[in-house]
Amino acid sequence: MARRTGRRPGNPDTREAILGAARAAFAERGFDAASIRSIAQAAGVDPALVHHYFGSKDQLFLAAMNAPLDPGALLPAVLAGAPDGLGERLVRTFLGVWDSPAGAAAVALLRSAVSNEWTARLLREFVVTQVLRRVLDHLDVDPAELPLRGSLVATQLIGLATTRYVLRLEPVASAPPETLVAALAPTVQRYLFGDLG
Amino acid sequence: MARRTGRRPGNPDTREAILGAARAAFAERGFDAASIRSIAQAAGVDPALVHHYFGSKDQLFLAAMNAPLDPGALLPAVLAGAPDGLGERLVRTFLGVWDSPAGAAAVALLRSAVSNEWTARLLREFVVTQVLRRVLDHLDVDPAELPLRGSLVATQLIGLATTRYVLRLEPVASAPPETLVAALAPTVQRYLFGDLG
């Protein structure tokens, strides 16, 4: 039986060259400043080929950092409901991802980000541009407060992931998701909309 | 000039043998089940020598995991005040440690715990036996709820450390400590004493 190659479009060497250039660009210059054009140039290919292989810049970024999921596909449902339930829906969706088969890849990404500055930058860009930006664009609060509110939410959710899935501190490690949703939702809700003291 | 050796008591090889046996025992069996007697036996020394070199079991544990500080020395002042300010004092003291010269060692320990299961177990034992147990012994709430309350506090404080010092997500990474104390104290206070939903 012949050895099968990947089903993704394109020459694997070219794909890898583009992904390597993308990782470097996103980590060094950040998501917003890294252009498809400059990534294509660094990889020695035409920008149209990058679009052809990976689609949008968001999708290239997700591929470059081996993201276990696309927040752009998950978040619309979270953001669609009433604002007073947003914290609860965010915590429930977050736990749903980490408790799913995608969770193992998420744990691997978090471990890598904590031990490696390069991956840390990519994860930071992911949290800001793929998750927080989409959530914060949606809030009817003082725009000057949005960055702090977003990063406070990140402290609670990243801490939940680290404690439950990496350090496995009990009883949080084994608690039913709804126990954690009930306990953490008011925290996330306050960071998004409430008084920050 | 003669090369100076360490000023700590005892033969360095014996010290290292004890510390290695202690790390193994604390990681494999946990703090409570690991006895000084069994650690001494594994290291091939008399238990009295372990006490002579390291003092108490708590102090041996702190030495074995290279703890950057002794919560037993810090926490009495935090716990001495009024209960309604405990969350605030905990967050302020936590930030004080991580923002101090000891913070670099704390970051190293967190990085190691996230990437290494062995260190993760030691950090878990540290959080539970050296920090949470002391805090929870002090709370006048339903004892059955204490483990969940303690580990919820851990999600917020470990998340703060990971986000501020390791991932360095802005603006949490550069925020003045008092901004973070004001924002996070009500969270920690609710996890300790409040309604968990």
Side-chain angles (χ1 to χ4, degrees):
Chain A
M1 212 164 127
R3 183 155 159 270
R4 292 173 64 190
T5 53
R7 286 282 170 258
R8 295 177 184 176
N11 178 318
D13 291 345
T14 308
R15 279 183 57 89
E16 274 312 310
I18 295 169
L19 289 173
R23 270 189 288 273
F26 290 132
E28 283 166 15
R29 302 202 292 281
F31 178 82
D32 292 327
S35 67
I36 293 261
R37 176 171 299 275
S38 68
I39 291 166
Q41 189 170 27
V45 303
D46 192 273
L49 194 68
V50 179
H51 285 293
H52 174 70
Y53 281 6
F54 295 101
S56 68
K57 185 162 120 176
D58 281 307
Q59 290 171 306
L60 173 62
F61 178 57
L62 296 177
M65 69 176 298
N66 289 313
L69 62 107
D70 178 1
L74 270 174
L75 283 172
V78 175
L79 296 167
D84 64 3
L86 180 56
E88 182 178 324
R89 294 193 301 278
L90 270 176
V91 178
R92 183 176 290 118
T93 302
F94 184 84
L95 281 167
V97 168
W98 288 76
D99 284 341
S100 80
V107 170
L109 188 59
L110 180 58
R111 283 186 198 275
S112 173
V114 169
S115 53
N116 181 306
E117 174 56 24
W118 187 262
T119 319
R121 289 187 200 183
L122 289 174
L123 181 59
R124 208 159 59 210
E125 290 295 306
F126 175 83
V127 169
V128 171
T129 69
Q130 305 297 308
V131 182
L132 293 181
R133 187 173 291 176
R134 288 188 168 99
V135 173
L136 300 175
D137 276 355
H138 214 81
L139 303 191
D140 189 18
V141 296
D142 180 353
E145 295 177 346
L146 288 176
L148 180 60
R149 291 185 181 281
S151 59
L152 289 172
V153 171
T155 67
Q156 179 60 88
L157 295 184
I158 289 170
L160 172 61
T162 306
T163 308
R164 179 171 168 91
Y165 303 101
V166 179
L167 299 180
R168 292 200 291 277
L169 184 71
E170 295 292 358
V172 157
S174 306
E178 285 306 313
T179 299
L180 300 173
V181 170
L184 270 62
T187 299
V188 174
Q189 189 71 18
R190 184 170 63 83
Y191 292 162
L192 290 173
F193 297 102
D195 180 12
L196 299 181
Chain B
M1 213 165 122
R3 185 155 158 271
R4 293 174 62 188
T5 54
R7 286 282 171 257
R8 296 174 182 180
N11 178 319
D13 291 346
T14 308
R15 279 183 57 91
E16 273 312 311
I18 295 168
L19 289 173
R23 269 189 288 273
F26 290 133
E28 283 166 14
R29 303 202 292 282
F31 179 82
D32 292 327
S35 67
I36 293 260
R37 176 171 299 276
S38 68
I39 290 167
Q41 189 170 28
V45 302
D46 191 89
L49 193 67
V50 178
H51 285 294
H52 174 69
Y53 281 7
F54 295 101
S56 68
K57 185 162 119 177
D58 280 306
Q59 290 171 306
L60 173 61
F61 177 57
L62 296 177
M65 69 177 300
N66 290 312
L69 62 109
D70 178 3
L74 270 174
L75 284 172
V78 175
L79 296 167
D84 65 2
L86 180 56
E88 182 178 324
R89 294 193 301 277
L90 271 175
V91 177
R92 183 176 293 120
T93 302
F94 184 84
L95 281 167
V97 168
W98 288 76
D99 284 341
S100 81
V107 170
L109 188 60
L110 180 60
R111 283 186 199 274
S112 173
V114 169
S115 53
N116 180 305
E117 174 56 25
W118 186 262
T119 319
R121 289 186 199 184
L122 290 174
L123 181 60
R124 207 159 58 213
E125 290 294 308
F126 175 83
V127 170
V128 171
T129 69
Q130 304 298 308
V131 183
L132 293 181
R133 188 174 291 176
R134 288 188 168 97
V135 174
L136 300 175
D137 275 355
H138 214 81
L139 303 191
D140 188 19
V141 296
D142 180 353
E145 295 177 346
L146 288 177
L148 179 61
R149 291 185 182 281
S151 60
L152 288 171
V153 172
T155 68
Q156 180 59 87
L157 295 185
I158 290 170
L160 172 61
T162 307
T163 307
R164 180 170 167 92
Y165 304 100
V166 179
L167 299 181
R168 293 199 291 276
L169 184 71
E170 293 294 357
V172 158
S174 306
E178 286 306 312
T179 300
L180 301 173
V181 170
L184 270 62
T187 299
V188 173
Q189 190 70 17
R190 185 170 62 82
Y191 293 162
L192 290 173
F193 297 102
D195 180 12
L196 298 182

